[in-house]
Amino acid sequence: MFVQLSHTSFAMVGIFQRSLRLRTSLRQLSFHKSTSPTDILSSLVLRGRLFPICSPFVFFSFRRTLHNSNDGPKSLSDTPPPRRPFCRVTQEDLTFFRTLLPGRAITDPDLLESSNVDWLKSVKGSSEVLLRPQTTEEVSQILRYCNSRNLAVNPQGGNTGLVGGSVPVHDEIVLSTALMNNILRFDDVSGILTCQSGCILENLSLYLEERGHIMPLDLGAKGSCQIGGNVATNAGGLRLLLYGSLHGTVLGLEVVLANGQVLDCLSTLRKDNTGYDLKQLFIGSEGTLGVITAVSILCPQKPKSVNVVFLGCETFEQLLKTFQLSRSMLGEILSAFEFLDSECLNLLRTHLKLHNPISDCPFYIVIETQGSDSNHDEEKLHNFLEEAMQSSLVVDGTVATEEAKIKALWSMRERITEALTHDGFTYKYDISLPVERIYQLVTDMRQHLGERAKSVVGYGHVGDGNLHLNITSPAKNPALLAAIEPFVYEWTAKFQGSISAEHGLGLKKRNYIYYRSS
């Protein structure tokens, strides 16, 4: 069967051809006859990257060989890739940046410190230049210039990432989108918001709430994270169960490619079947294909009725049965189903002095409902809770309908990450698994590590099959890390899971991408 390409198809093919040429045009490499196919592939991909440290394609082949060696167990998370043959920043380069960005080309080491260190303070770069553009045109000029000069660039949003993907590994130029924080327009009929990529998620939420709408995603880091970074990492968050992922809610993107070319896919159409959906390539690409400069996103109406329930269960099996019951009895109003174990609650109590609102249990559930009719929602919730209690699925619980009490209950889930930072050095794993396997990994990890870990805790999004496994020790411990990795990834692969559900690969997981289910 023959397929005839339309003019539109040829245009799309042209974009991909130019992208392929772009991968080799950042700077020409001198390939020798002895260059291996792996090295050629690595070089080609790196030349197409803005942030050249975490491409899964680059490290796949030779990192797997390293892992399979007979040198004994080892973790590759802390093994940074070597610095590639990029140029170093000169005074001539600084003159260009300062002329383009008056007062926004930062070289003061004290001001650069926060851009060189990730939120967990587990990864640190040595960048000497921080650029803070305000417009897409400025981003385009920066990347066009860096492309011509063979300078490596690290895009950075709110720097709230947990896998080391938001900070430089070596001396890459940090390109911050923090000043690209304008809301461009909002259509209150369709609920479509268009904004620059540096807008902070919480600010967008407050803006929309005043107009009777909400953002389709909600994260614990909403006070600092930026929408561009959310899209670049395909952040999931607390309400994916109801509103779906960003692959569905993001309608359009504006992106600047590595050579400075602006790719305008900033559509506000919910239906557009006129060619390849190029924006999907950039959702979850972690800044490897381009810098997202603007986003259009579909925002649901603000619910008129919100309820939050905090429940306790004796076993994880009962917790899963409660989830099944909630889906059948709460249906369309079920917006979140989260869980945490007793170890998480102990950390909240010890380090943050948060009070357990119910009796102590091995497992806890946070359920949120959103709807348009409070009487209807309360009746459904009452029937669900009555059935859950009569069936002995839950042993205790409390319900919040007022905003202050709702925030207090949500803090039991959202502040776990904060509590962990007070417990010691934290090893974080963001795993996606078949729902029935979620907590088994926590149990097996505790047995595997024994007394070597201070704490092994589990919490996450039951509705999405997403476990956040966290392991703490008094200080950074290479021996402990070697015991955790690759065990955690081998276990995940064994049960057809994903080693990164919503945090991305970044620096810490780039060497383990071959542990995947498909």
Side-chain angles (χ1 to χ4, degrees):
M1 185 171 111
F2 294 91
V3 178
Q4 183 175 0
L5 293 176
S6 65
H7 292 296
T8 302
S9 299
F10 279 116
M12 292 297 184
V13 171
I15 290 175
F16 283 111
Q17 289 174 337
R18 288 194 295 274
S19 298
L20 182 58
R21 290 198 296 271
L22 170 60
R23 292 183 176 181
T24 58
S25 68
L26 285 178
R27 292 299 286 178
Q28 286 73 32
L29 291 175
S30 298
F31 292 116
H32 300 286
K33 291 182 179 179
S34 60
T35 304
S36 70
T38 300
D39 291 336
I40 292 175
L41 176 60
S42 301
S43 300
L44 286 175
V45 175
L46 279 174
R47 289 323 205 197
R49 292 181 57 83
L50 302 170
F51 180 24
I53 62 101
C54 59
S55 170
F57 309 105
V58 176
F59 298 99
F60 176 87
S61 185
F62 66 83
R63 289 299 183 188
R64 185 160 193 172
T65 301
L66 176 60
H67 170 67
N68 287 337
S69 65
N70 296 320
D71 298 331
K74 60 183 68 177
S75 169
L76 302 177
S77 290
D78 286 352
T79 307
R83 188 185 188 280
R84 306 295 293 187
F86 294 101
C87 292
R88 298 186 184 276
V89 176
T90 65
Q91 283 300 318
E92 180 183 355
D93 299 326
L94 291 177
T95 299
F96 173 84
F97 295 137
R98 287 166 177 160
T99 302
L100 177 65
L101 308 173
R104 292 178 283 127
I106 313 299
T107 56
D108 185 332
D110 293 335
L111 298 178
L112 276 159
E113 179 69 18
S114 60
S115 296
N116 270 312
V117 181
D118 72 327
W119 186 81
L120 290 173
K121 294 180 173 53
S122 61
V123 178
K124 185 173 183 179
S126 56
S127 176
E128 299 177 349
V129 182
L130 167 64
L131 303 180
R132 306 184 78 195
Q134 293 177 322
T135 67
T136 299
E137 177 57 29
E138 287 178 345
V139 175
S140 176
Q141 290 191 48
I142 290 168
L143 295 183
R144 186 181 302 116
Y145 179 84
C146 292
N147 179 34
S148 67
R149 283 278 298 115
N150 193 30
L151 296 169
V153 176
N154 170 50
Q156 186 176 90
N159 197 13
T160 58
L162 301 175
V163 290
S166 58
V167 294
V169 176
H170 300 291
D171 57 347
E172 302 92 286
I173 295 169
V174 176
L175 193 159
S176 169
T177 55
L179 298 183
M180 302 182 68
N181 55 8
N182 292 317
I183 294 173
L184 303 178
R185 55 189 172 274
F186 175 66
D187 184 341
D188 58 1
V189 175
S190 64
I192 297 172
L193 173 75
T194 304
C195 63
Q196 287 185 299
S197 61
C199 290
I200 292 174
L201 180 60
E202 187 170 45
N203 293 345
L204 293 177
S205 296
L206 294 173
Y207 172 88
L208 288 168
E209 285 181 14
E210 293 175 355
R211 291 156 178 81
H213 288 73
I214 61 173
M215 287 294 287
L217 74 159
D218 187 21
L219 309 173
K222 58 191 170 189
S224 303
C225 66
Q226 298 173 12
I227 187 63
N230 298 153
V231 174
T233 57
N234 191 25
L238 303 171
R239 295 186 181 129
L240 188 142
L241 180 63
L242 180 60
Y243 298 119
S245 78
L246 291 173
H247 277 292
T249 54
V250 170
L251 302 180
L253 294 176
E254 179 185 72
V255 183
V256 182
L257 304 181
N259 64 348
Q261 179 184 355
V262 179
L263 183 62
D264 186 359
C265 297
L266 199 59
S267 171
T268 58
L269 301 176
R270 295 189 66 179
K271 284 187 173 182
D272 183 3
N273 201 22
T274 56
Y276 301 114
D277 192 1
L278 293 179
K279 72 176 182 294
Q280 299 295 346
L281 291 173
F282 299 93
I283 300 173
S285 65
E286 301 184 55
T288 61
L289 301 178
V291 176
I292 296 172
T293 53
V295 178
S296 63
I297 187 167
L298 181 64
C299 303
Q301 287 193 327
K302 182 179 179 180
K304 296 178 180 179
S305 167
V306 177
N307 300 286
V308 172
V309 184
F310 193 79
L311 304 174
C313 294
E314 289 291 345
T315 68
F316 196 74
E317 182 181 2
Q318 290 175 340
L319 187 150
L320 292 180
K321 289 181 178 179
T322 305
F323 174 55
Q324 287 180 297
L325 185 66
S326 71
R327 292 181 65 190
S328 64
M329 296 192 68
L330 297 177
E332 78 286 351
I333 67 171
L334 180 62
S335 58
F337 193 106
E338 304 287 304
F339 92 95
L340 57 147
D341 62 16
S342 59
E343 292 297 317
C344 288
L345 198 135
N346 289 338
L347 295 178
L348 292 168
R349 189 159 34 201
T350 301
H351 300 299
L352 303 183
K353 309 304 179 185
L354 295 186
H355 171 67
N356 184 359
I358 62 175
S359 59
D360 288 345
C361 298
F363 297 96
Y364 302 91
I365 304 169
V366 180
I367 295 176
E368 182 188 73
T369 65
Q370 295 185 359
S372 58
D373 186 329
S374 59
N375 292 330
H376 167 268
D377 297 351
E378 288 173 8
E379 182 181 358
K380 295 191 78 168
L381 188 59
H382 173 78
N383 292 337
F384 159 72
L385 292 174
E386 187 175 52
E387 179 65 25
M389 295 293 288
Q390 289 181 353
S391 303
S392 299
L393 296 180
V394 299
V395 294
D396 198 3
T398 184
V399 181
T401 57
E402 299 174 5
E403 186 174 355
K405 293 181 179 179
I406 286 174
K407 288 183 177 179
L409 290 185
W410 264 122
S411 68
M412 306 301 293
R413 166 63 179 83
E414 290 185 321
R415 298 188 67 186
I416 296 172
T417 298
E418 180 186 352
L420 283 161
T421 62
H422 296 284
D423 198 54
F425 190 88
T426 307
Y427 298 94
K428 306 185 76 67
Y429 299 92
D430 165 49
I431 304 296
S432 183
L433 287 162
V435 177
E436 68 275 8
R437 297 285 186 183
I438 287 181
Y439 202 73
Q440 185 182 340
L441 174 56
V442 182
T443 303
D444 288 358
M445 182 62 76
R446 284 179 183 149
Q447 183 178 0
H448 173 69
L449 295 179
E451 299 298 321
R452 289 177 286 185
K454 182 178 179 182
S455 300
V456 179
V457 307
Y459 63 97
H461 319 287
V462 175
D464 316 331
N466 184 185
L467 167 71
H468 295 307
L469 170 68
N470 287 255
I471 300 159
T472 67
S473 61
K476 192 173 183 179
N477 186 338
L480 176 60
L481 180 60
I484 300 170
E485 301 176 8
F487 175 84
V488 63
Y489 300 127
E490 291 172 344
W491 195 102
T492 302
K494 177 182 177 181
F495 294 105
Q496 292 76 50
S498 169
I499 66 169
S500 179
E502 60 181 3
H503 291 170
L505 293 170
L507 173 68
K508 295 181 178 180
K509 295 185 180 181
R510 75 198 188 284
N511 297 318
Y512 295 106
I513 190 173
Y514 51 86
Y515 287 112
R516 58 182 302 173
S517 59
S518 60

